[in-house]
């Protein structure tokens, strides 16, 4: 791992990078656009904003430094487990200017505290700067959530989209054991501990499913509804993105499909979704092209690995384990590099389509 001084500089740079991204994303929006709720699936953007600061304050100033809360009456408002997203617009939210000042205040204190803190390698929160990494990744993940909100609302933004992929062939992955998960760095509890998994031989597509291929499935009546954002246009389709409508890009990976739709596509194509273990094994062998463009639904339920231990809080992962949630892998165009690692696990309900999620097919060898 990085030696101590380099590690602190790395943390400060990662914190600053995330904050720059947050502020740039929200900068063009009016207070009204920040405060209103665009979709019942998503929080008002100003909630995400203040929640980013609250999470940072909670872990880095209060838990680590023993500081008193800055807004004690807001603790419940910004605790994601106290109120559903749907309820959040009715809460007493900090207004946008107060939220921005709050984030800046917390950050200034955090950088000061980091300078004075010894990153003791024997302390689970401090070793490798783990708890700082938790805060960096949390902010980066909320940026992606806020981009989903912008996408659902049709508000413009310039954050980009997926890049085209080259529809490829199937790749054979021979039977054998590989090491799944990781024990290092800023990896979340749900990626740990690393463990050996025996995977039978399988075939996996070298590329995610493109818009063209997915349109064939819709035309064939494989599913009654097109992906979120698609509109009929004569014989073809348009796609609404960043608030403007354009012809569907043929070679981009399809996104905004639910797990049910992904699963149905794979069956229609005579294949199936890869399991998480298959996906991670193929990714660690370097045979997957086009990862990091769209999240890829897997066939797996979200569960703890053998020997899983919740750390540092049960509500990050453990409370979601079970058959209600399906796992997504690989990261999307909206996922920052700090989060988009091969072992990273995302999850959502199988009916959800607000995520930048598509799929890649696999089958038994
Ligand atoms: C990993 C994207 C499912 O948004 O619920 C944000 C990330 N956890 N704040 C979520 C998260 C706490 C999480 N996902
Ligand atoms: Fe959060």
């Amino acid at each position: 791992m990085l030696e101590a001084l380099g590690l602190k500089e790395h943390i400060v740079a990662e914190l600053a990078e995330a904050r720059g991204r947050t502020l740039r994303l929200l900068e063009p929006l009016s207070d009204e656009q920040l405060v209103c709720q665009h979709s019942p699936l998503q929080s008002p953007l100003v909630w995400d904003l203040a929640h980013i600061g609250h999470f940072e304050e909670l872990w880095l100033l209060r838990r680590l430094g023993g500081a008193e809360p800055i807004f004690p009456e807001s603790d419940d408002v910004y605790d994601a487990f106290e109120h559903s997203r749907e309820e959040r617009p009715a809460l007493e939210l900090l207004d946008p200017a107060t939220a921005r000042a709050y984030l800046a205040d917390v950050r200034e204190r955090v950088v000061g505290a980091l300078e004075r803190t010894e990153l003791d390698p024997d302390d689970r929160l401090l070793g490798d700067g783990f708890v700082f990494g938790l805060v960096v990744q949390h902010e980066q993940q909320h940026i992606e959530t806020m981009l989903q909100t912008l996408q659902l609302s049709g508000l413009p933004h310039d954050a980009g989209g997926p890049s085209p992929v080259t529809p490829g062939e199937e790749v054979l992955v021979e039977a054998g054991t590989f090491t799944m998960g990781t024990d290092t760095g800023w990896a979340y509890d749900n990626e740990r501990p690393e463990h050996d998994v025996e995977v039978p031989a399988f075939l996996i597509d070298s590329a995610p499913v493109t818009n063209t291929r997915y349109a064939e499935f819709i035309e064939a009546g494989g599913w009654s509804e097109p992906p979120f954002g698609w509109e009929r246009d004569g014989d073809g389709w348009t796609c609404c993105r960043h608030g403007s409508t354009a012809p569907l890009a043929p070679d981009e990976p399809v996104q905004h499909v639910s797990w049910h739709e992904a699963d149905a596509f794979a069956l229609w194509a005579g294949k199936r979704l890869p399991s998480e273990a298959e996906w991670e094994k193929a990714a660690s062998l370097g045979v997957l092209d086009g990862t990091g463009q769209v999240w890829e639904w897997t066939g797996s339920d979200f569960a703890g690995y053998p020997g899983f231990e919740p750390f540092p809080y049960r509500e990050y992962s453990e409370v979601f384990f079970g058959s209600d949630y399906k796992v997504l892998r690989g990261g999307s165009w909206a996922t920052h590099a700090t989060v988009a690692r091969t072992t990273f696990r995302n999850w959502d309900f199988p009916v959800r389509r607000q995520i930048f999620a598509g799929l890649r097919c696999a089958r038994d060898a």
Side-chain angles (χ1 to χ4, degrees):
M1 202 49 200
L2 297 153
E3 56 96 356
L5 185 69
L7 177 56
K8 285 190 183 182
E9 284 165 350
H10 175 69
I11 290 167
V12 171
E14 290 273 344
L15 286 167
E17 159 101 6
R19 185 55 44 83
R21 225 180 142 219
T22 301
L23 297 179
R24 269 195 306 280
L25 183 70
L26 300 183
E27 200 269 327
L29 302 175
S30 68
D31 280 11
E32 166 60 17
Q33 289 168 331
L34 292 171
V35 167
C36 75
Q37 187 174 40
H38 301 277
S39 156
L41 296 182
Q42 304 291 101
S43 313
L45 291 161
V46 77
W47 184 92
D48 288 276
L49 181 65
H51 166 80
I52 287 169
H54 184 256
F55 189 88
E56 180 166 333
E57 183 202 354
L58 195 63
W59 284 102
L60 303 184
L61 300 180
R62 293 163 64 176
R63 293 288 290 268
L64 224 49
E68 291 301 320
I70 297 173
F71 293 111
E73 67 291 348
S74 296
D75 259 349
D76 137 291
V77 172
Y78 296 112
D79 179 335
F81 284 84
E82 288 296 329
H83 306 278
S84 68
R85 287 179 173 181
E86 207 170 349
E87 287 166 31
R88 291 176 190 163
L91 303 175
E92 289 250 348
L93 303 178
L94 300 183
D95 63 70
T98 308
R100 284 190 168 101
Y102 169 54
L103 262 71
D105 177 30
V106 169
R107 179 55 58 85
E108 196 183 307
R109 297 191 206 194
V110 161
V111 171
L114 173 60
E115 272 169 33
R116 297 187 299 271
T117 304
E118 193 217 329
L119 297 177
D120 177 359
D122 296 327
D123 181 303
R124 280 184 81 187
L125 281 178
L126 293 173
D128 290 339
F130 179 86
V131 72
F132 292 90
L134 182 76
V135 166
V136 166
Q137 293 177 89
H138 182 257
E139 181 158 357
Q140 293 289 9
Q141 286 174 274
H142 273 275
I143 292 170
E144 181 156 355
T145 305
M146 292 190 285
L147 274 161
Q148 294 164 6
T149 307
L150 292 178
Q151 184 90 324
L152 289 175
S153 68
L155 285 171
H157 66 82
D158 59 8
S163 299
V165 295
T166 311
E169 305 113 44
E170 291 182 302
V171 186
L172 172 68
V173 178
E174 303 280 0
T177 298
F178 89 109
T179 304
M180 188 168 187
T182 177
D183 291 331
T184 62
W186 290 355
Y188 280 110
D189 57 0
N190 65 51
E191 296 165 77
R192 302 167 186 254
E194 69 172 45
H195 57 292
D196 286 347
V197 179
E198 164 72 31
V199 186
F202 64 100
L203 292 149
I204 189 160
D205 289 0
S206 66
V209 172
T210 61
N211 282 330
T212 295
R213 187 80 177 114
Y214 197 86
E216 288 167 20
F217 164 64
I218 297 294
E219 310 292 353
W223 197 260
S224 56
E225 254 187 303
F228 171 78
W230 288 28
E231 302 272 358
R232 256 282 169 228
D233 180 38
D235 286 347
W237 298 94
T238 59
C239 182
C240 181
R241 183 191 294 167
H242 316 166
S244 56
T245 299
L248 195 63
D251 297 331
E252 281 180 14
V254 67
Q255 59 172 354
H256 292 304
V257 302
S258 71
W259 182 88
H260 295 293
E261 292 163 335
D263 183 57
F265 176 94
L267 293 179
W268 174 80
K271 301 187 186 184
R272 59 172 172 77
L273 294 175
S275 69
E276 267 199 278
E278 288 170 337
W279 192 95
E280 189 171 322
K281 183 178 181 184
S284 64
L285 295 174
V287 301
L288 303 185
D289 292 335
T291 57
Q293 300 306 327
V294 294
W295 287 102
E296 300 176 26
W297 285 110
T298 71
S300 302
D301 292 343
F302 189 40
Y305 292 155
F308 169 84
E309 250 191 279
F311 184 78
Y313 67 113
R314 287 188 64 239
E315 291 78 12
Y316 182 77
S317 312
E318 194 185 30
V319 298
F320 299 100
F321 289 165
S323 54
D324 288 349
Y325 294 90
K326 294 290 183 188
V327 174
L328 302 110
R329 292 300 201 106
S332 79
W333 56 271
T335 311
H336 191 265
T338 304
V339 184
R341 54 184 166 265
T342 303
T343 55
F344 187 89
R345 307 170 76 199
N346 194 7
W347 65 92
D348 210 334
F349 290 118
V351 295
R352 291 290 163 82
R353 336 200 279 172
Q354 86 287 358
I355 331 171
F356 306 111
L359 74 147
R360 153 186 337 252
C361 297
R363 63 189 172 101
D364 298 349

